[in-house]
């Protein structure tokens, strides 16, 4: 079990003027006088989010219900659906800024698609796992060698390169379980490999391009139900959905060792599943897995004011 460890600091409250400009409402920090300042940002009712990608102040979120893509201006608080979904899930998201494209992991449908960020049009679709077969295409990472997708029910990554799908088996020290496995994915600080968390074992792995995995030495630390991840320099944020927390880990350059330095918590979390940064805040979608999805079910982002590491 991860203990809550917070660095000493003063909560900086958002000003009333700033909140009015954003049309947002403040939420209390987890503990008075400690922890990050928190802002609560409403999403449309009935829009169950899972992942988030942010560029130039716009957050993109996918619906677990029907795959719609919602674009939210983090400065104004206004948003709209920019792409109608195919009726299946939109989970992990990654932005290709140069091509103005959004890559989308398709969850249980076993597929992926690429959208034009300007028009919302589907530019390409890839069936990573044969249709009708078990799959959970969970997250995506864009690398110089292609887009890499995790599949939480197979010990396999899928790389899309030059319009072709390549299977990359996870080998080495990777541990496969009958439950959910490969989930959040990012690069190592040295940029030479990938980092992937295992949802069931709670372990972090450095994974080479060929799928060979090495367990990261975190001093015995494991994560409780890890989900989405975000790396900034040598700092890795690991969202832990079931315990409403984000672990903050300092890594070595290779991503083979690290230590837990902080755990972020707030009462505004309700099954957080991913994290992205804009400015001095981390933006976290709340999936609310324990709540029945209805047209009037409320969903939101939690914004945490966190200094850069």
């Amino acid at each position: 079990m991860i203990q809550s460890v917070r660095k000493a600091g003063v909560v900086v409250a958002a000003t009333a003027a700033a909140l009015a400009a954003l049309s947002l409402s403040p939420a209390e920090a987890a503990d008075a006088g400690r922890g990050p300042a928190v802002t609560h940002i409403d999403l449309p009712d009935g829009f169950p989010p899972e992942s988030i990608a942010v560029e130039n102040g716009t957050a993109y979120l996918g619906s677990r219900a029907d795959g719609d893509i919602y674009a939210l201006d983090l400065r104004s608080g206004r948003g709209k659906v920019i792409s109608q979904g195919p009726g299946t899930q939109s989970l992990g998201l990654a932005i290709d800024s140069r091509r103005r494209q959004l890559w989308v992991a398709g969850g249980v449908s076993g597929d992926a698609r690429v959208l034009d960020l300007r028009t919302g049009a589907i530019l390409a679709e890839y069936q990573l796992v044969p249709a009708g077969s078990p799959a959970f295409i969970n997250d995506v990472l864009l690398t110089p060698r292609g887009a890499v997708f995790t599949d939480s029910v197979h010990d396999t990554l899928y790389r899309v390169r030059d319009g072709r799908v390549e299977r990359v088996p996870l080998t080495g020290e990777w541990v496969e379980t009958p439950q959910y496995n490969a989930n959040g994915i990012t690069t190592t600080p040295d940029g030479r490999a990938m980092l992937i968390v295992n949802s069931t074992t709670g372990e972090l792995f450095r994974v080479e391009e060929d799928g060979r995995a090495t367990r990261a030495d975190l001093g015995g630390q494991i994560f409780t139900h890890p989900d989405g991840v975000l790396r900034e320099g040598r700092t890795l944020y690991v969202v832990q959905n079931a315990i409403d927390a984000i672990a903050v880990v300092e890594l070595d350059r290779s991503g083979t060792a690290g230590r837990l330095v902080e755990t972020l918590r707030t009462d505004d979390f309700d099954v957080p599943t991913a994290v992205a940064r804009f400015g001095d805040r981390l933006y976290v979608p709340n999936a609310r897995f324990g709540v029945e999805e209805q047209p009037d079910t409320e969903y939101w982002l939690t914004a945490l004011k966190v200094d850069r590491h």
Side-chain angles (χ1 to χ4, degrees):
M1 177 66 71
I2 292 179
Q3 299 297 317
S4 177
V5 180
R6 296 187 178 87
K7 295 178 180 177
V10 177
V11 174
V12 181
T15 64
L19 290 171
L22 288 171
S23 300
L24 307 176
S25 58
E28 294 296 327
D31 294 289
R34 298 190 303 167
V38 177
T39 302
H40 179 106
I41 306 172
D42 288 325
L43 297 176
D45 288 353
F47 187 95
E50 201 275 344
S51 189
I52 182 172
V54 175
E55 182 187 54
N56 296 330
T58 299
Y60 298 91
L61 301 110
S63 167
R64 299 193 316 272
D66 58 13
D68 285 358
I69 301 296
Y70 183 76
L72 173 68
D73 187 327
L74 296 174
R75 298 182 182 91
S76 69
R78 294 187 293 270
K80 63 179 181 180
V81 171
I82 63 166
S83 180
Q84 294 292 328
T88 56
Q89 296 172 316
S90 288
L91 301 186
L93 305 173
I95 295 172
D96 182 335
S97 298
R98 184 171 66 87
R99 295 183 175 88
R100 305 301 302 145
Q101 295 176 353
L102 182 70
W103 288 72
V104 183
V108 296
S109 60
D111 63 2
R113 65 189 188 279
V114 186
L115 305 180
D116 186 323
L117 272 181
R118 291 160 292 198
T119 66
I122 297 177
L123 301 175
E125 296 179 273
Y126 302 96
Q127 191 64 46
L128 307 180
V129 180
S133 299
F136 198 75
I137 307 303
N138 206 334
D139 206 354
V140 56
L141 171 69
L142 301 186
T143 78
R145 296 188 180 183
V148 181
F149 293 84
T150 58
D151 182 349
S152 295
V153 299
H154 295 111
D155 56 353
T156 303
L157 304 177
Y158 301 92
R159 181 184 291 116
V160 177
R161 175 165 48 181
D162 298 328
R164 299 188 305 273
V165 177
E166 305 170 1
R167 295 181 69 258
V168 182
L170 286 165
T171 61
E173 296 182 349
W174 181 260
V175 177
E176 188 74 9
T177 78
Q179 301 174 13
Y180 285 114
N181 294 279
N183 198 330
I185 182 172
T186 187
T187 53
T188 55
D190 63 13
R192 297 180 178 178
M194 299 170 285
L195 292 171
I196 300 176
V197 290
N198 186 304
S199 289
T200 296
T201 70
E203 296 170 309
L204 176 70
F205 293 85
R206 173 185 165 118
V207 179
E208 310 300 328
E209 290 288 339
D210 62 2
R212 181 167 41 90
T214 302
R215 185 180 293 103
D217 180 4
L218 303 181
Q221 177 69 46
I222 60 172
F223 307 112
T224 304
H225 296 288
D227 205 323
V229 298
L230 169 68
R231 183 187 61 78
E232 297 179 325
R234 295 193 185 184
T235 300
L236 180 70
Y237 298 93
V238 181
V239 179
Q240 300 175 95
N241 57 37
I243 63 170
D244 292 338
I246 300 177
V248 186
V249 176
E250 291 297 329
L251 298 167
D252 65 3
R253 278 186 52 80
S254 67
T256 56
R259 63 186 181 91
L260 178 73
V261 295
E262 187 175 7
T263 299
L264 305 175
R265 300 179 188 272
T266 167
D267 290 342
D268 200 56
F269 283 161
D270 191 349
V271 194
T273 46
V275 57
R277 180 188 285 275
F278 174 61
D280 61 357
R281 285 172 169 77
L282 299 177
Y283 291 87
V284 182
N286 293 277
R288 309 196 73 195
F289 288 148
V291 176
E292 185 178 0
E293 295 177 9
Q294 295 289 343
D296 60 351
T297 302
E298 296 180 351
Y299 294 98
W300 64 88
L301 295 182
T302 299
L304 304 176
K305 185 176 175 63
V306 176
D307 293 334
R308 294 183 182 273
H309 287 262

